[in-house]
Amino acid sequence: MQNLKPYKDKLYRFALRILKNSMDAEETIQDLLVKVWQKKEQFALVDNKEAWCMTVTRNLAYDKIRARKQNAQDIEEHYSIKDTAAQPDKILESKDELNQVKAVINSLPSDLSEVIQLREIEQLTYQEIAEITGWNLNKVKVSIHRARKLIRESMKQAQL
């Protein structure tokens, strides 16, 4: 499992974004580790281990949602921002903007919020996102464009 360490935080954040519950996200990552262990010979042959793990994490998370059909916690509780600025008013302003962006992202349809999370927060390439979601590259690009456009429009309306 040594080769999964670089991805563990990213996988956890991804599971948390989908499940909106830290305990379920941790359990999903544990399920992923079990799956990797059980299929270690096949896993060793995978070229892009990160994309494979992201895809399996996504599938496990959605399986968990379907199985439990529960209300999830708001993800905002699990994010914190670190700002090196010494001015409290700038810190407060940044937190307000971040909270607005997070609220807008959470209000997007789940497919758009998922791709924007993968692209902007997890910094994955379009190709990696296509592999994780199972979409073609054009659908990924269009979805990210739509998500960004909706975020911009919502932020402009919020400033009025």
PDB file of all heavy atoms in Angstrom, residues 40-69:
ATOM      1  N   LYS A  40      -4.312  -6.943  -5.773  1.00  0.00           N
ATOM      2  CA  LYS A  40      -2.966  -6.353  -5.854  1.00  0.00           C
ATOM      3  C   LYS A  40      -2.218  -6.734  -7.132  1.00  0.00           C
ATOM      4  O   LYS A  40      -1.461  -5.924  -7.653  1.00  0.00           O
ATOM      5  CB  LYS A  40      -2.154  -6.663  -4.611  1.00  0.00           C
ATOM      6  CG  LYS A  40      -1.930  -8.105  -4.319  1.00  0.00           C
ATOM      7  CD  LYS A  40      -1.233  -8.296  -2.981  1.00  0.00           C
ATOM      8  CE  LYS A  40      -1.341  -9.746  -2.575  1.00  0.00           C
ATOM      9  NZ  LYS A  40      -1.731  -9.930  -1.224  1.00  0.00           N
ATOM     10  N   GLU A  41      -2.433  -7.934  -7.648  1.00  0.00           N
ATOM     11  CA  GLU A  41      -1.754  -8.325  -8.887  1.00  0.00           C
ATOM     12  C   GLU A  41      -2.265  -7.497 -10.063  1.00  0.00           C
ATOM     13  O   GLU A  41      -1.487  -7.017 -10.886  1.00  0.00           O
ATOM     14  CB  GLU A  41      -1.950  -9.823  -9.190  1.00  0.00           C
ATOM     15  CG  GLU A  41      -1.227 -10.747  -8.234  1.00  0.00           C
ATOM     16  CD  GLU A  41      -2.000 -10.971  -6.927  1.00  0.00           C
ATOM     17  OE1 GLU A  41      -3.239 -10.765  -6.902  1.00  0.00           O
ATOM     18  OE2 GLU A  41      -1.355 -11.334  -5.926  1.00  0.00           O
ATOM     19  N   GLN A  42      -3.580  -7.312 -10.136  1.00  0.00           N
ATOM     20  CA  GLN A  42      -4.168  -6.491 -11.197  1.00  0.00           C
ATOM     21  C   GLN A  42      -3.777  -5.031 -11.021  1.00  0.00           C
ATOM     22  O   GLN A  42      -3.505  -4.334 -11.986  1.00  0.00           O
ATOM     23  CB  GLN A  42      -5.688  -6.613 -11.192  1.00  0.00           C
ATOM     24  CG  GLN A  42      -6.191  -7.982 -11.599  1.00  0.00           C
ATOM     25  CD  GLN A  42      -7.683  -8.107 -11.372  1.00  0.00           C
ATOM     26  OE1 GLN A  42      -8.208  -7.709 -10.340  1.00  0.00           O
ATOM     27  NE2 GLN A  42      -8.368  -8.678 -12.355  1.00  0.00           N
ATOM     28  N   PHE A  43      -3.771  -4.577  -9.764  1.00  0.00           N
ATOM     29  CA  PHE A  43      -3.439  -3.174  -9.476  1.00  0.00           C
ATOM     30  C   PHE A  43      -2.007  -2.865  -9.911  1.00  0.00           C
ATOM     31  O   PHE A  43      -1.729  -1.764 -10.396  1.00  0.00           O
ATOM     32  CB  PHE A  43      -3.622  -2.891  -7.979  1.00  0.00           C
ATOM     33  CG  PHE A  43      -3.380  -1.461  -7.603  1.00  0.00           C
ATOM     34  CD1 PHE A  43      -4.275  -0.467  -7.972  1.00  0.00           C
ATOM     35  CD2 PHE A  43      -2.254  -1.087  -6.873  1.00  0.00           C
ATOM     36  CE1 PHE A  43      -4.056   0.860  -7.621  1.00  0.00           C
ATOM     37  CE2 PHE A  43      -2.030   0.227  -6.528  1.00  0.00           C
ATOM     38  CZ  PHE A  43      -2.933   1.206  -6.896  1.00  0.00           C
ATOM     39  N   ALA A  44      -1.117  -3.803  -9.748  1.00  0.00           N
ATOM     40  CA  ALA A  44       0.279  -3.586 -10.136  1.00  0.00           C
ATOM     41  C   ALA A  44       0.406  -3.332 -11.638  1.00  0.00           C
ATOM     42  O   ALA A  44       1.346  -2.656 -12.076  1.00  0.00           O
ATOM     43  CB  ALA A  44       1.131  -4.781  -9.737  1.00  0.00           C
ATOM     44  N   LEU A  45      -0.536  -3.825 -12.426  1.00  0.00           N
ATOM     45  CA  LEU A  45      -0.491  -3.663 -13.876  1.00  0.00           C
ATOM     46  C   LEU A  45      -1.149  -2.368 -14.354  1.00  0.00           C
ATOM     47  O   LEU A  45      -1.019  -2.009 -15.521  1.00  0.00           O
ATOM     48  CB  LEU A  45      -1.183  -4.853 -14.559  1.00  0.00           C
ATOM     49  CG  LEU A  45      -0.582  -6.229 -14.250  1.00  0.00           C
ATOM     50  CD1 LEU A  45      -1.440  -7.320 -14.871  1.00  0.00           C
ATOM     51  CD2 LEU A  45       0.855  -6.314 -14.725  1.00  0.00           C
ATOM     52  N   VAL A  46      -1.837  -1.647 -13.470  1.00  0.00           N
ATOM     53  CA  VAL A  46      -2.530  -0.416 -13.841  1.00  0.00           C
ATOM     54  C   VAL A  46      -1.518   0.683 -14.111  1.00  0.00           C
ATOM     55  O   VAL A  46      -0.609   0.915 -13.305  1.00  0.00           O
ATOM     56  CB  VAL A  46      -3.504   0.017 -12.718  1.00  0.00           C
ATOM     57  CG1 VAL A  46      -4.095   1.385 -12.992  1.00  0.00           C
ATOM     58  CG2 VAL A  46      -4.588  -1.023 -12.527  1.00  0.00           C
ATOM     59  N   ASP A  47      -1.653   1.353 -15.260  1.00  0.00           N
ATOM     60  CA  ASP A  47      -0.724   2.436 -15.621  1.00  0.00           C
ATOM     61  C   ASP A  47      -0.950   3.678 -14.770  1.00  0.00           C
ATOM     62  O   ASP A  47      -0.021   4.219 -14.190  1.00  0.00           O
ATOM     63  CB  ASP A  47      -0.869   2.805 -17.101  1.00  0.00           C
ATOM     64  CG  ASP A  47      -0.315   1.723 -18.007  1.00  0.00           C
ATOM     65  OD1 ASP A  47       0.592   0.986 -17.575  1.00  0.00           O
ATOM     66  OD2 ASP A  47      -0.810   1.616 -19.145  1.00  0.00           O
ATOM     67  N   ASN A  48      -2.189   4.154 -14.707  1.00  0.00           N
ATOM     68  CA  ASN A  48      -2.493   5.368 -13.964  1.00  0.00           C
ATOM     69  C   ASN A  48      -3.212   4.988 -12.675  1.00  0.00           C
ATOM     70  O   ASN A  48      -4.437   4.942 -12.610  1.00  0.00           O
ATOM     71  CB  ASN A  48      -3.348   6.312 -14.826  1.00  0.00           C
ATOM     72  CG  ASN A  48      -3.495   7.686 -14.203  1.00  0.00           C
ATOM     73  OD1 ASN A  48      -3.261   7.875 -13.008  1.00  0.00           O
ATOM     74  ND2 ASN A  48      -3.888   8.646 -15.017  1.00  0.00           N
ATOM     75  N   LYS A  49      -2.437   4.716 -11.652  1.00  0.00           N
ATOM     76  CA  LYS A  49      -2.984   4.243 -10.383  1.00  0.00           C
ATOM     77  C   LYS A  49      -3.875   5.293  -9.722  1.00  0.00           C
ATOM     78  O   LYS A  49      -4.896   4.966  -9.124  1.00  0.00           O
ATOM     79  CB  LYS A  49      -1.858   3.821  -9.452  1.00  0.00           C
ATOM     80  CG  LYS A  49      -1.151   2.558  -9.933  1.00  0.00           C
ATOM     81  CD  LYS A  49      -0.053   2.146  -8.999  1.00  0.00           C
ATOM     82  CE  LYS A  49       0.679   0.898  -9.352  1.00  0.00           C
ATOM     83  NZ  LYS A  49       0.637   0.360 -10.655  1.00  0.00           N
ATOM     84  N   GLU A  50      -3.497   6.551  -9.842  1.00  0.00           N
ATOM     85  CA  GLU A  50      -4.289   7.617  -9.236  1.00  0.00           C
ATOM     86  C   GLU A  50      -5.688   7.668  -9.849  1.00  0.00           C
ATOM     87  O   GLU A  50      -6.684   7.716  -9.129  1.00  0.00           O
ATOM     88  CB  GLU A  50      -3.590   8.967  -9.410  1.00  0.00           C
ATOM     89  CG  GLU A  50      -4.353  10.124  -8.802  1.00  0.00           C
ATOM     90  CD  GLU A  50      -3.645  11.450  -8.963  1.00  0.00           C
ATOM     91  OE1 GLU A  50      -2.632  11.524  -9.693  1.00  0.00           O
ATOM     92  OE2 GLU A  50      -4.119  12.421  -8.362  1.00  0.00           O
ATOM     93  N   ALA A  51      -5.773   7.651 -11.150  1.00  0.00           N
ATOM     94  CA  ALA A  51      -7.078   7.694 -11.823  1.00  0.00           C
ATOM     95  C   ALA A  51      -7.898   6.456 -11.475  1.00  0.00           C
ATOM     96  O   ALA A  51      -9.116   6.550 -11.238  1.00  0.00           O
ATOM     97  CB  ALA A  51      -6.899   7.816 -13.331  1.00  0.00           C
ATOM     98  N   TRP A  52      -7.249   5.302 -11.414  1.00  0.00           N
ATOM     99  CA  TRP A  52      -7.953   4.073 -11.062  1.00  0.00           C
ATOM    100  C   TRP A  52      -8.528   4.186  -9.651  1.00  0.00           C
ATOM    101  O   TRP A  52      -9.691   3.853  -9.412  1.00  0.00           O
ATOM    102  CB  TRP A  52      -7.002   2.878 -11.166  1.00  0.00           C
ATOM    103  CG  TRP A  52      -7.665   1.548 -10.968  1.00  0.00           C
ATOM    104  CD1 TRP A  52      -8.232   0.774 -11.917  1.00  0.00           C
ATOM    105  CD2 TRP A  52      -7.825   0.845  -9.720  1.00  0.00           C
ATOM    106  NE1 TRP A  52      -8.737  -0.383 -11.353  1.00  0.00           N
ATOM    107  CE2 TRP A  52      -8.500  -0.359 -10.007  1.00  0.00           C
ATOM    108  CE3 TRP A  52      -7.463   1.109  -8.402  1.00  0.00           C
ATOM    109  CZ2 TRP A  52      -8.820  -1.286  -9.018  1.00  0.00           C
ATOM    110  CZ3 TRP A  52      -7.782   0.183  -7.420  1.00  0.00           C
ATOM    111  CH2 TRP A  52      -8.450  -0.986  -7.726  1.00  0.00           C
ATOM    112  N   CYS A  53      -7.712   4.677  -8.717  1.00  0.00           N
ATOM    113  CA  CYS A  53      -8.159   4.834  -7.329  1.00  0.00           C
ATOM    114  C   CYS A  53      -9.295   5.852  -7.223  1.00  0.00           C
ATOM    115  O   CYS A  53     -10.245   5.655  -6.457  1.00  0.00           O
ATOM    116  CB  CYS A  53      -6.993   5.251  -6.433  1.00  0.00           C
ATOM    117  SG  CYS A  53      -5.812   3.935  -6.127  1.00  0.00           S
ATOM    118  N   MET A  54      -9.195   6.941  -7.984  1.00  0.00           N
ATOM    119  CA  MET A  54     -10.261   7.953  -7.964  1.00  0.00           C
ATOM    120  C   MET A  54     -11.570   7.348  -8.484  1.00  0.00           C
ATOM    121  O   MET A  54     -12.634   7.588  -7.916  1.00  0.00           O
ATOM    122  CB  MET A  54      -9.866   9.173  -8.799  1.00  0.00           C
ATOM    123  CG  MET A  54      -8.695   9.972  -8.247  1.00  0.00           C
ATOM    124  SD  MET A  54      -9.043  10.840  -6.720  1.00  0.00           S
ATOM    125  CE  MET A  54      -9.799  12.309  -7.363  1.00  0.00           C
ATOM    126  N   THR A  55     -11.490   6.567  -9.538  1.00  0.00           N
ATOM    127  CA  THR A  55     -12.682   5.942 -10.101  1.00  0.00           C
ATOM    128  C   THR A  55     -13.309   4.963  -9.112  1.00  0.00           C
ATOM    129  O   THR A  55     -14.528   4.974  -8.897  1.00  0.00           O
ATOM    130  CB  THR A  55     -12.336   5.210 -11.415  1.00  0.00           C
ATOM    131  OG1 THR A  55     -11.779   6.153 -12.333  1.00  0.00           O
ATOM    132  CG2 THR A  55     -13.557   4.558 -12.032  1.00  0.00           C
ATOM    133  N   VAL A  56     -12.491   4.144  -8.497  1.00  0.00           N
ATOM    134  CA  VAL A  56     -13.003   3.177  -7.525  1.00  0.00           C
ATOM    135  C   VAL A  56     -13.582   3.912  -6.306  1.00  0.00           C
ATOM    136  O   VAL A  56     -14.650   3.545  -5.802  1.00  0.00           O
ATOM    137  CB  VAL A  56     -11.906   2.172  -7.107  1.00  0.00           C
ATOM    138  CG1 VAL A  56     -12.373   1.287  -5.964  1.00  0.00           C
ATOM    139  CG2 VAL A  56     -11.485   1.329  -8.302  1.00  0.00           C
ATOM    140  N   THR A  57     -12.906   4.965  -5.867  1.00  0.00           N
ATOM    141  CA  THR A  57     -13.413   5.757  -4.736  1.00  0.00           C
ATOM    142  C   THR A  57     -14.781   6.345  -5.076  1.00  0.00           C
ATOM    143  O   THR A  57     -15.707   6.299  -4.262  1.00  0.00           O
ATOM    144  CB  THR A  57     -12.427   6.884  -4.383  1.00  0.00           C
ATOM    145  OG1 THR A  57     -11.180   6.303  -4.008  1.00  0.00           O
ATOM    146  CG2 THR A  57     -12.944   7.740  -3.244  1.00  0.00           C
ATOM    147  N   ARG A  58     -14.897   6.891  -6.266  1.00  0.00           N
ATOM    148  CA  ARG A  58     -16.170   7.465  -6.717  1.00  0.00           C
ATOM    149  C   ARG A  58     -17.262   6.397  -6.712  1.00  0.00           C
ATOM    150  O   ARG A  58     -18.362   6.614  -6.188  1.00  0.00           O
ATOM    151  CB  ARG A  58     -16.005   8.028  -8.121  1.00  0.00           C
ATOM    152  CG  ARG A  58     -17.255   8.576  -8.753  1.00  0.00           C
ATOM    153  CD  ARG A  58     -16.912   9.095 -10.167  1.00  0.00           C
ATOM    154  NE  ARG A  58     -18.040   9.690 -10.788  1.00  0.00           N
ATOM    155  CZ  ARG A  58     -18.801   9.091 -11.708  1.00  0.00           C
ATOM    156  NH1 ARG A  58     -18.515   7.861 -12.092  1.00  0.00           N
ATOM    157  NH2 ARG A  58     -19.813   9.711 -12.235  1.00  0.00           N
ATOM    158  N   ASN A  59     -16.976   5.247  -7.267  1.00  0.00           N
ATOM    159  CA  ASN A  59     -17.969   4.179  -7.322  1.00  0.00           C
ATOM    160  C   ASN A  59     -18.358   3.689  -5.931  1.00  0.00           C
ATOM    161  O   ASN A  59     -19.547   3.465  -5.652  1.00  0.00           O
ATOM    162  CB  ASN A  59     -17.451   3.015  -8.172  1.00  0.00           C
ATOM    163  CG  ASN A  59     -17.303   3.397  -9.625  1.00  0.00           C
ATOM    164  OD1 ASN A  59     -17.876   4.375 -10.095  1.00  0.00           O
ATOM    165  ND2 ASN A  59     -16.501   2.637 -10.347  1.00  0.00           N
ATOM    166  N   LEU A  60     -17.381   3.525  -5.063  1.00  0.00           N
ATOM    167  CA  LEU A  60     -17.665   3.086  -3.694  1.00  0.00           C
ATOM    168  C   LEU A  60     -18.517   4.121  -2.949  1.00  0.00           C
ATOM    169  O   LEU A  60     -19.431   3.764  -2.194  1.00  0.00           O
ATOM    170  CB  LEU A  60     -16.366   2.826  -2.931  1.00  0.00           C
ATOM    171  CG  LEU A  60     -15.562   1.593  -3.355  1.00  0.00           C
ATOM    172  CD1 LEU A  60     -14.177   1.607  -2.696  1.00  0.00           C
ATOM    173  CD2 LEU A  60     -16.305   0.312  -3.015  1.00  0.00           C
ATOM    174  N   ALA A  61     -18.207   5.398  -3.162  1.00  0.00           N
ATOM    175  CA  ALA A  61     -18.963   6.460  -2.492  1.00  0.00           C
ATOM    176  C   ALA A  61     -20.418   6.472  -2.957  1.00  0.00           C
ATOM    177  O   ALA A  61     -21.347   6.562  -2.140  1.00  0.00           O
ATOM    178  CB  ALA A  61     -18.303   7.812  -2.752  1.00  0.00           C
ATOM    179  N   TYR A  62     -20.623   6.356  -4.263  1.00  0.00           N
ATOM    180  CA  TYR A  62     -21.999   6.331  -4.764  1.00  0.00           C
ATOM    181  C   TYR A  62     -22.726   5.057  -4.325  1.00  0.00           C
ATOM    182  O   TYR A  62     -23.934   5.102  -4.056  1.00  0.00           O
ATOM    183  CB  TYR A  62     -22.034   6.508  -6.276  1.00  0.00           C
ATOM    184  CG  TYR A  62     -21.819   7.949  -6.687  1.00  0.00           C
ATOM    185  CD1 TYR A  62     -20.810   8.293  -7.574  1.00  0.00           C
ATOM    186  CD2 TYR A  62     -22.617   8.974  -6.178  1.00  0.00           C
ATOM    187  CE1 TYR A  62     -20.609   9.612  -7.942  1.00  0.00           C
ATOM    188  CE2 TYR A  62     -22.413  10.287  -6.537  1.00  0.00           C
ATOM    189  CZ  TYR A  62     -21.422  10.613  -7.425  1.00  0.00           C
ATOM    190  OH  TYR A  62     -21.228  11.912  -7.778  1.00  0.00           O
ATOM    191  N   ASP A  63     -22.009   3.964  -4.222  1.00  0.00           N
ATOM    192  CA  ASP A  63     -22.620   2.738  -3.697  1.00  0.00           C
ATOM    193  C   ASP A  63     -23.080   2.953  -2.255  1.00  0.00           C
ATOM    194  O   ASP A  63     -24.162   2.510  -1.861  1.00  0.00           O
ATOM    195  CB  ASP A  63     -21.633   1.569  -3.744  1.00  0.00           C
ATOM    196  CG  ASP A  63     -21.389   1.055  -5.158  1.00  0.00           C
ATOM    197  OD1 ASP A  63     -22.152   1.432  -6.075  1.00  0.00           O
ATOM    198  OD2 ASP A  63     -20.411   0.298  -5.343  1.00  0.00           O
ATOM    199  N   LYS A  64     -22.259   3.634  -1.481  1.00  0.00           N
ATOM    200  CA  LYS A  64     -22.593   3.902  -0.084  1.00  0.00           C
ATOM    201  C   LYS A  64     -23.833   4.798   0.020  1.00  0.00           C
ATOM    202  O   LYS A  64     -24.711   4.567   0.847  1.00  0.00           O
ATOM    203  CB  LYS A  64     -21.401   4.552   0.618  1.00  0.00           C
ATOM    204  CG  LYS A  64     -21.562   4.677   2.118  1.00  0.00           C
ATOM    205  CD  LYS A  64     -20.300   5.120   2.793  1.00  0.00           C
ATOM    206  CE  LYS A  64     -19.229   4.082   2.776  1.00  0.00           C
ATOM    207  NZ  LYS A  64     -19.501   2.827   3.435  1.00  0.00           N
ATOM    208  N   ILE A  65     -23.925   5.791  -0.852  1.00  0.00           N
ATOM    209  CA  ILE A  65     -25.096   6.673  -0.853  1.00  0.00           C
ATOM    210  C   ILE A  65     -26.349   5.877  -1.195  1.00  0.00           C
ATOM    211  O   ILE A  65     -27.386   6.013  -0.533  1.00  0.00           O
ATOM    212  CB  ILE A  65     -24.901   7.840  -1.848  1.00  0.00           C
ATOM    213  CG1 ILE A  65     -23.862   8.831  -1.311  1.00  0.00           C
ATOM    214  CG2 ILE A  65     -26.220   8.555  -2.117  1.00  0.00           C
ATOM    215  CD1 ILE A  65     -23.441   9.896  -2.300  1.00  0.00           C
ATOM    216  N   ARG A  66     -26.245   5.052  -2.219  1.00  0.00           N
ATOM    217  CA  ARG A  66     -27.402   4.246  -2.614  1.00  0.00           C
ATOM    218  C   ARG A  66     -27.800   3.273  -1.508  1.00  0.00           C
ATOM    219  O   ARG A  66     -28.988   3.054  -1.257  1.00  0.00           O
ATOM    220  CB  ARG A  66     -27.099   3.483  -3.899  1.00  0.00           C
ATOM    221  CG  ARG A  66     -27.214   4.337  -5.143  1.00  0.00           C
ATOM    222  CD  ARG A  66     -27.133   3.491  -6.405  1.00  0.00           C
ATOM    223  NE  ARG A  66     -25.813   2.932  -6.649  1.00  0.00           N
ATOM    224  CZ  ARG A  66     -24.837   3.558  -7.302  1.00  0.00           C
ATOM    225  NH1 ARG A  66     -25.041   4.766  -7.771  1.00  0.00           N
ATOM    226  NH2 ARG A  66     -23.679   2.980  -7.488  1.00  0.00           N
ATOM    227  N   ALA A  67     -26.820   2.705  -0.835  1.00  0.00           N
ATOM    228  CA  ALA A  67     -27.100   1.701   0.189  1.00  0.00           C
ATOM    229  C   ALA A  67     -27.740   2.311   1.432  1.00  0.00           C
ATOM    230  O   ALA A  67     -28.644   1.732   2.030  1.00  0.00           O
ATOM    231  CB  ALA A  67     -25.821   0.970   0.571  1.00  0.00           C
ATOM    232  N   ARG A  68     -27.288   3.452   1.811  1.00  0.00           N
ATOM    233  CA  ARG A  68     -27.771   4.033   3.070  1.00  0.00           C
ATOM    234  C   ARG A  68     -28.877   5.052   2.899  1.00  0.00           C
ATOM    235  O   ARG A  68     -29.631   5.302   3.835  1.00  0.00           O
ATOM    236  CB  ARG A  68     -26.603   4.662   3.820  1.00  0.00           C
ATOM    237  CG  ARG A  68     -25.613   3.610   4.249  1.00  0.00           C
ATOM    238  CD  ARG A  68     -24.646   4.132   5.231  1.00  0.00           C
ATOM    239  NE  ARG A  68     -23.725   3.045   5.605  1.00  0.00           N
ATOM    240  CZ  ARG A  68     -22.612   3.221   6.233  1.00  0.00           C
ATOM    241  NH1 ARG A  68     -22.244   4.422   6.574  1.00  0.00           N
ATOM    242  NH2 ARG A  68     -21.842   2.201   6.536  1.00  0.00           N
ATOM    243  N   LYS A  69     -28.926   5.720   1.766  1.00  0.00           N
ATOM    244  CA  LYS A  69     -29.933   6.749   1.488  1.00  0.00           C
ATOM    245  C   LYS A  69     -30.112   7.665   2.692  1.00  0.00           C
ATOM    246  O   LYS A  69     -31.201   7.825   3.236  1.00  0.00           O
ATOM    247  CB  LYS A  69     -31.254   6.119   1.088  1.00  0.00           C
ATOM    248  CG  LYS A  69     -31.162   5.383  -0.205  1.00  0.00           C
ATOM    249  CD  LYS A  69     -32.485   4.889  -0.660  1.00  0.00           C
ATOM    250  CE  LYS A  69     -32.244   4.129  -1.943  1.00  0.00           C
ATOM    251  NZ  LYS A  69     -33.349   3.738  -2.653  1.00  0.00           N
TER     252      LYS A  69
END
